[in-house]
Amino acid sequence: MSQAIVEIKDVTFSRGEKTIYKNMSFSVPKGKITAIMGPSGIGKTTMLRLIGGQLKPDSGDILFEGKSIPSMTRAALYDARKNMSMLFQSGALFTDMSVFDNIAFPLREHTTLNEELIRLVVLMKLQAVGLRGARDLMPSELSGGMARRVALARAIALDPELIMYDEPFAGQDPISMGVLVKLIKSLNEVLGLSSLIVTHDVTEVLSIAEHVIIIAEQGVIGSGTAQEMLAHRSPLVQQFLQGLSDGPVPFHQPANPYEQELLSGGAV
Amino acid sequence: MNTRKIEILVGLFVALGVLAFAVLALKVANSGISGSGETYTLNAKFENIGSLKARAPIKVGGVVIGRVEGISIHPQEFVPVVNMTIDANYECQFSDTTSVSILTSGILGEQYLGISPVIASESARQSCFGYEVAHDDASDELEDLFGVESKALRNGDLITDTKSALVLEELIGQFLFNQGSE
Amino acid sequence: MINFFQKLGHKTLSRFASLGRSTSMLFGALVNMPNIRKGTPLLIRQLYMIGHQSLLIIMVSGLFIGMVLALQGYTVLVGYGAEDSLGPLVALSLLRELGPVVTALLFAGRAGSALTAEIGLMKATEQLSSLEMMAIDPLKRVIAPRFWAGFISMPLLALIFSAVAILGAHLVGVDWLGVDSGSFWSIMQAQVSFEKDILNGIIKSFVFALVVTWIALYKGYDCIPTSEGISKATTETVVHSSLAVLGFDFLLTAVMFSG
């Protein structure tokens, strides 16, 4: 495995009383597509926010390109963020700007390019996601899949080192899903960047991910290539990958015994 | 909407706000006396000020020349002392024999101070402004006539010739007393 | 009993925590102003959204409140033969109280709720997070221009409100009820002082602008990013800022006009 772009070292994070991660460690290799998978509600999005420095771990360290994110000053953190970008689940396009302005926005904020150059860059990025024809539309006029592609174009506007995708396939029809899978793969190859995908859409992500990390029960339960994962011995990994309704992750939320609750007549 | 149009509309909005300010400042408030211009102060002792209030106008023949600045009690004599600010143009114009009275505008109106000016003599005016006074015979004669030298009123002076406010109860009392004695 | 104290303690602590969060939000937005070249267009856009868009309701309300004041004032004053004092009655009540207060209440309903909803939705749709991940401080980019726009707009709106209302009073008092135009203006001028009435009114509306804009922005920024959370935050903006305006109005009036 080559050099890592993100390293999670012994991270513990809790929200209120609830511990989300306990002494978790893994690393994201540079230049590859890495998938973080796991059942809903185990804090996959939280992981991305930790890497982006929006949240701070209770203990442990997170390294981005060898530098510790939690101990950075505000200014250094903002500098580091220029090298990473994040594709939010909803797309998070600015609703008061057109598609063109949305993609031009990070360029206008962080570069001193003139408008002519910005126009060129924006058109190139839109071409890459196949939406050059939609540049004058407002975000409210886009379909969900298109909005995500525009957000992707915006995410690559500044040519970052790392793109983090938060549930890119959730709620997409099969065609948009196929388009997104293809886009993520080709962008990763063409731009030579690293991708980190957080998802629970197993089949889609296993087709493109070169490295897979499965999180459950406050820590990493397995990591390796897609093939290694499919052959993994852990029943938890198998349950997740095959989508079985019952197994080590129980079907039922923890509760009092069923009979006892029914017979108590509501007086619990 | 394009930027230009927004900028124009915001410009209009700000201009409207400034216009409203100007209207309020010039048309609604009295920017004449209190806002601008220099003033000087005079004091006057009264027996009774009635319901005279701070900021009441001071008028000469109906024209406002100043405002009542404050009202206090003389520390020894226990009579009200009215502190007046008057347009600096009228400094050293009135003689110290000028009288001040508390008057009422209309039946239920506000009370105000009316000054009945006695115009200061030329020599008094000169000395008030601090010039060397050339005594001429005419003024000497006048002084001889009245026994005292009349001075012009300047900043901080006290007007002694005052007429108090009319108080309705006193008037009625007086009227009844007169009726009774006839 | 213990539960009561625990509840009270919890309430107090969370109040202080939210006061702290709102103060740090305001500081974050105001310290390190965004640079002029990038900040000005943002400010102008917000002045348009917050100020110019509120103009119509402010002017219409001002006109009607002025007319009603004149009508009501006239019926009382004419009984004492003092209808000439209509001018100062209207002008003083507008400049000292109604102008700043009614403007602030309308502003809270018109612009404040819109600010809260807008920022709440930006939070719910992850636009604020997305700005942060793009290395752009949302406090400077989103909160600061809106704050300044509110702070500048409201005093201007209050002045416009008072001016329009006095014109409305003139319309009813002079043109309809027949108060003498000369005495309407001259008695008003004799009674209204620039420093004491107009300036104090302006100071009041600056204070209200600060309070209302701050509450609106904080409620949006701190809301729970769900549709229910946003609707609750919007309601809270209107209720809290209206109450705060009335409370501050009493305090300021006591300080300014009681002496």
Side-chain angles (χ1 to χ4, degrees), chain A residues 1-258:
Chain A
M1 193 163 77
S2 63
Q3 203 184 345
I5 187 159
V6 176
E7 273 181 86
I8 309 288
K9 288 183 171 171
D10 232 7
V11 165
T12 299
F13 180 79
S14 52
R15 187 171 272 152
E17 307 274 295
K18 194 181 162 206
T19 306
I20 293 175
Y21 305 125
K22 203 167 182 184
N23 301 328
M24 183 160 79
S25 304
F26 65 86
S27 61
V28 179
K30 200 170 188 146
K32 286 187 178 173
I33 300 178
T34 305
I36 298 183
M37 293 195 279
S40 316
I42 49 109
K44 297 191 295 294
T45 307
T46 309
M47 190 75 250
L48 295 188
R49 288 181 190 272
L50 282 167
I51 296 172
Q54 290 185 321
L55 297 172
K56 281 196 173 169
D58 300 341
S59 67
D61 205 358
I62 295 162
L63 302 182
F64 174 71
E65 294 187 311
K67 281 167 284 188
S68 162
I69 293 276
S71 56
M72 272 182 187
T73 62
R74 209 177 147 71
L77 180 62
Y78 271 58
D79 257 358
R81 279 182 188 163
K82 289 177 191 167
N83 287 326
M84 54 172 100
S85 62
M86 185 153 158
L87 185 72
F88 286 88
Q89 201 169 346
S90 58
L93 294 175
F94 301 121
T95 40
D96 56 345
M97 299 179 192
S98 69
V99 165
F100 182 93
D101 289 332
N102 257 291
I103 299 167
F105 180 80
L107 295 166
R108 287 182 180 142
E109 286 292 322
H110 289 311
T111 67
T112 50
L113 301 179
N114 61 32
E115 275 302 307
E116 187 50 36
L117 276 174
I118 286 179
R119 202 181 80 89
L120 284 177
V121 176
V122 171
L123 291 182
M124 274 162 56
K125 304 295 177 190
L126 276 171
Q127 176 71 19
V129 297
L131 287 176
R132 200 157 40 82
R135 64 169 173 262
D136 293 324
L137 296 180
M138 294 303 281
S140 54
E141 298 167 306
L142 300 175
S143 72
M146 281 160 84
R148 241 170 257 192
R149 276 149 77 189
V150 172
L152 187 52
R154 186 178 68 181
I156 56 172
L158 283 176
D159 294 323
E161 301 287 322
L162 170 71
I163 304 189
M164 294 182 274
Y165 300 87
D166 185 7
E167 302 281 7
F169 312 115
Q172 298 290 316
D173 65 71
I175 300 174
S176 321
M177 216 183 262
V179 170
L180 281 168
V181 168
K182 187 175 153 281
L183 267 178
I184 293 172
K185 193 169 167 61
S186 65
L187 284 177
N188 203 72
E189 278 165 7
V190 175
L191 301 177
L193 39 74
S194 318
S195 306
L196 180 59
I197 306 173
V198 153
T199 185
H200 45 234
D201 290 290
V202 176
T203 36
E204 284 72 28
V205 93
L206 286 186
S207 67
I208 53 168
E210 295 156 89
H211 187 68
V212 176
I213 297 161
I214 298 181
I215 299 178
E217 296 176 336
Q218 306 173 356
V220 176
I221 57 167
S223 69
T225 64
Q227 280 70 34
E228 283 168 17
M229 280 300 103
L230 287 171
H232 204 279
R233 282 175 292 112
S234 154
L236 203 57
V237 172
Q238 286 308 323
Q239 187 199 353
F240 181 71
L241 291 180
Q242 293 168 26
L244 302 175
S245 68
D246 213 352
V249 177
F251 170 69
H252 292 291
Q253 279 278 340
N256 293 331
Y258 193 39

Side-chain angles (χ1 to χ4, degrees), chain A residues 74 78 109, chain C residues 25-35 38-39 42-43 131 135-148 221:
Chain A
R74 209 177 147 71
Y78 271 58
E109 286 292 322
Chain C
M25 180 201 80
L26 194 65
F27 261 71
L30 302 188
V31 177
N32 306 325
M33 274 288 289
N35 68 45
K38 281 179 190 160
L42 292 175
L43 179 64
L131 275 174
I136 297 160
D137 189 346
L139 289 179
K140 277 175 214 157
R141 174 80 201 185
V142 176
I143 304 291
R146 283 169 176 76
F147 175 79
W148 286 115
Y221 192 71

Side-chain angles (χ1 to χ4, degrees), chain C residues 157-232:
Chain C
L157 289 171
L159 286 170
I160 294 171
F161 181 93
S162 298
V164 171
I166 288 172
L167 293 180
H170 184 270
L171 201 67
V172 167
V174 175
D175 298 332
W176 180 20
L177 298 170
V179 175
D180 179 54
S181 178
S183 56
F184 182 85
W185 290 117
S186 63
I187 298 179
M188 187 193 293
Q189 281 167 12
Q191 298 275 321
V192 176
S193 136
F194 179 73
E195 294 102 50
K196 204 164 163 53
D197 301 319
I198 296 185
L199 280 191
N200 275 347
I202 293 175
I203 292 172
K204 267 189 179 180
S205 58
F206 269 114
V207 174
F208 297 161
L210 172 82
V211 171
V212 173
T213 322
W214 186 9
I215 290 179
L217 292 175
Y218 172 67
K219 290 287 176 196
Y221 192 71
D222 199 53
C223 78
I224 300 157
T226 59
S227 45
E228 197 194 2
I230 293 170
S231 95
K232 188 161 159 267

Side-chain angles (χ1 to χ4, degrees), chain C residues 115-131:
Chain C
L115 279 177
T116 305
E118 187 191 10
I119 291 176
L121 268 174
M122 287 178 91
K123 187 175 179 182
T125 54
E126 297 176 309
Q127 292 184 50
L128 295 182
S129 284
S130 154
L131 275 174

